[in-house]
Amino acid sequence: MSDQAAAARMHETSAESTATVDVVLDYARRRALFEDVPLDEPRAREELERVASGSITDGGIGAQRAIDLFEHVLAPACITTDHPGYLSFIPSAPTKAALSFDTVVSASSVYGGSWMEGAGAVFAENEVLHWLAHEFGLPAAAGGVFVQGGTIGNLSALVAARDRARRRHREAGTRAPERWVVVCSSEAHSSIASAADIMDVDVRTAAAGADGRLSGDAVAAVLDECGDAVFAVVATGGTTNFGIVDDIASIAELTRARDVWLHIDGAYGLAAMLVPRTRGLFDGVQHADSVIVDPHKWLFAPFDACALLYRDPAGARAAHTQRAEYLDHLTDKPDWNPSDLAVQLTRRARGLPLWFSLATHGTQQYRDAVEHGIVLARDIADEIARRPALGLVREPQLSVVVFRREGWTLADYQDWSDRLLESQKGFVVPSSHAGEPVLRFAIISPMTTMGLLVEILDTLE
Ligand SMILES: *Cc1c(COP(=O)(O)O)cnc(C)c1O
């Protein structure tokens, strides 16, 4: 065999590679259509070492053995995040259209970083971003990019915000503050502190009210103290633990009056703006300078995708464009290059699964699917309130329900949670609120039913 022929064996279309593609896509098809995928559970490393090691060899084990290993050993050691009983953290629930199209994104080797290379894909992603911007009340000139997740989305937005603040000082010839400050709620997501750490800026938290919401008044007090050291205020559109939406309207009024960047972290909750009955909770988002929402959370796309939107994409581009001789050919063009809008360079066109699913189903089905979670959260909250053994910690605003089992310690919750997973009925891990252990249902999947949630409550009696 010539060197070239040997080198190309994994890439060329041959009987062997065709069989490999068939084996993989057959499995993908079965998995995508499987009705009752079990919840499954993690296994200890030692156990996996015993049953799953040795797959990397000089000669390869072949596609069939590798897929068998995945299907029967590795996949069952991963919790099924789109199972209707998965109610921890923030579940995932990709549509059949979105998850199957994700394989097309891979099969197509689309480079989503530049217009020159990925114009068609970037155009389609932008269709989705513009639709979202419109739903959020942002101006037509708003635009952005799909990044890996809310953590990178928040970081990228804050980097753009600080860049604007720095630029303003440069242009005015004034001295920038010694330490930059980002203001957020005491209930803000951990990724804000993480971003601040990476950026080496300080976080000042403004106290959320008794209802968990951050208000303009609380932010004003911090702004008065920190003056022009503040380069951004972060409001949360649906906290992860409770689904609480800050009083964004009063915060936006303040950031506009003081000309401070307003970022909305809506990774989980902003999807509820698609639903008329909850849209009003988010008044003020239309004034944001940047916004994020994760399609892999409540917009039914597969992992991983965060839609990051900027009011002024040109400013974000100035903050993020990487410059290098080999990139000049791209960056010197006036094209829309998604790479230039966030902390990234090479990028998967990770917005395409959502684009395909939205194009397939239309937006109304999305509104209905999000509303399902909101309605179900209210119904199960009522049921919890009716049960003497349980206590509702707070009325749900979106689709997260937090409650306690009266008289239980953290160890009781943990035992119960382990048994629930063992029974394969549900995955509900304890959380905490104000130092007290609590339980939490995060409802995303339209396949999650009242019947299932009641069945889970029954195990708490
Ligand atoms: C999930 C979440 C994040 C982080 O998003 P990732 O996609 O997990 O990186 C940030 N903020 C909020 C409010 C979230 O719910």
Side-chain angles (χ1 to χ4, degrees):
M1 195 181 290
S2 74
D3 287 353
Q4 197 278 328
R9 271 183 61 195
M10 295 191 294
H11 293 80
E12 67 191 1
T13 302
S14 62
E16 190 185 346
S17 62
T18 302
T20 295
V21 170
D22 285 345
V23 160
V24 173
L25 293 186
D26 283 351
Y27 171 71
R29 186 172 190 285
R30 268 188 297 122
R31 174 60 179 85
L33 295 174
F34 192 0
E35 287 286 325
D36 295 307
V37 181
L39 248 172
D40 295 319
E41 56 194 334
R43 298 175 72 177
R45 199 189 63 184
E46 300 74 32
E47 218 186 314
L48 286 174
E49 268 172 358
R50 200 160 41 72
V51 293
S53 55
S55 54
I56 309 301
T57 65
D58 268 354
I61 61 172
Q64 190 61 57
R65 274 182 65 195
I67 205 87
D68 284 347
L69 181 66
F70 184 78
E71 178 174 359
H72 301 297
V73 180
L74 301 174
C78 301
I79 294 190
T80 303
T81 61
D82 58 349
H83 187 283
Y86 183 115
L87 301 161
S88 292
F89 313 115
I90 302 289
S92 91
T95 65
K96 301 294 188 202
L99 65 86
S100 55
F101 197 77
D102 201 38
T103 60
V104 174
V105 177
S106 290
S108 310
S109 296
V110 171
Y111 180 77
S114 74
W115 187 267
M116 190 182 80
E117 291 151 285
V122 174
F123 178 84
E125 287 186 305
N126 284 347
E127 293 268 286
V128 179
L129 291 168
H130 290 145
W131 172 68
L132 287 172
H134 180 74
E135 290 291 325
F136 301 155
L138 294 171
V145 56
F146 288 95
V147 295
Q148 177 224 317
T151 299
I152 300 295
N154 284 334
L155 172 64
S156 299
L158 293 179
V159 165
R162 182 179 59 181
D163 190 69
R164 185 180 81 172
R166 277 180 174 158
R167 198 159 4 105
R168 284 178 170 179
H169 278 290
R170 267 201 310 276
E171 284 164 8
T174 49
R175 260 174 77 115
E178 292 276 314
R179 298 284 304 169
W180 288 107
V181 171
V182 55
V183 178
C184 66
S185 161
S186 41
E187 303 286 323
H189 189 266
S190 51
S191 55
I192 303 300
S194 163
D197 200 32
I198 292 165
M199 295 167 68
D200 193 24
V201 300
D202 294 330
V203 180
R204 288 294 309 272
T205 53
D211 57 0
R213 302 174 75 209
L214 183 65
S215 70
D217 285 347
V219 173
V222 178
L223 290 185
D224 288 342
E225 236 176 85
C226 300
D228 78 346
V230 177
F231 68 91
V233 172
V234 178
T236 310
T239 58
T240 322
N241 210 16
F242 272 99
I244 293 168
V245 182
D246 285 340
D247 179 1
I248 297 170
S250 71
I251 298 169
E253 199 178 313
L254 188 71
T255 53
R256 292 172 81 204
R258 307 211 185 180
D259 202 11
V260 176
W261 184 291
L262 174 63
H263 174 64
I264 308 295
D265 178 0
Y268 150 66
L270 214 60
M273 279 193 85
L274 300 180
V275 177
R277 73 159 85 192
T278 39
R279 186 189 297 257
L281 291 173
F282 297 87
D283 186 35
V285 167
Q286 69 274 17
H287 300 304
D289 294 287
S290 55
V291 159
I292 64 154
V293 63
D294 278 357
H296 64 224
K297 287 181 173 169
W298 214 358
L299 288 173
F300 316 111
F303 299 128
D304 46 25
C306 164
L308 163 63
L309 287 164
Y310 297 100
R311 173 174 296 272
D312 168 27
R317 195 171 295 123
H320 286 293
T321 302
Q322 294 188 24
R323 304 226 164 254
E325 284 168 349
Y326 84 100
L327 294 172
D328 285 348
H329 187 66
L330 296 175
T331 43
D332 289 348
K333 287 201 171 80
D335 288 345
W336 185 273
N337 295 323
S339 281
D340 296 346
L341 294 167
V343 182
Q344 58 180 0
L345 184 61
T346 296
R347 75 176 281 278
R348 176 179 181 83
R350 51 170 44 83
L352 283 184
L354 176 57
W355 163 76
F356 181 77
S357 185
L358 268 173
T360 299
H361 296 297
T363 57
Q364 186 57 44
Q365 288 196 48
Y366 275 76
R367 298 183 208 285
D368 295 345
V370 173
E371 187 162 25
H372 167 86
I374 295 165
V375 170
L376 192 49
R378 290 189 188 175
D379 290 349
I380 200 67
D382 290 345
E383 177 64 26
I384 288 165
R386 274 196 291 273
R387 296 189 176 211
L390 305 178
L392 187 64
V393 175
R394 205 174 253 160
E395 284 296 329
Q397 260 191 315
L398 301 178
S399 70
V400 178
V401 185
V402 182
F403 59 103
R404 70 176 75 83
R405 166 64 166 80
E406 305 295 352
W408 273 16
T409 63
L410 181 58
D412 295 323
Y413 284 111
Q414 192 57 59
D415 284 350
W416 171 83
S417 173
D418 293 347
R419 275 183 278 115
L420 186 70
L421 183 59
E422 235 167 74
S423 76
Q424 293 283 290
K425 209 189 293 286
F427 179 56
V428 181
V429 296
S431 180
S432 70
H433 169 60
E436 174 201 26
V438 291
L439 290 176
R440 182 176 161 276
F441 287 163
I443 304 164
I444 295 287
S445 175
M447 302 296 285
T448 302
T449 60
M450 186 70 180
L452 174 63
L453 296 183
V454 166
E455 224 182 291
I456 291 174
L457 290 188
D458 287 345
T459 66
L460 285 161
E461 291 300 324

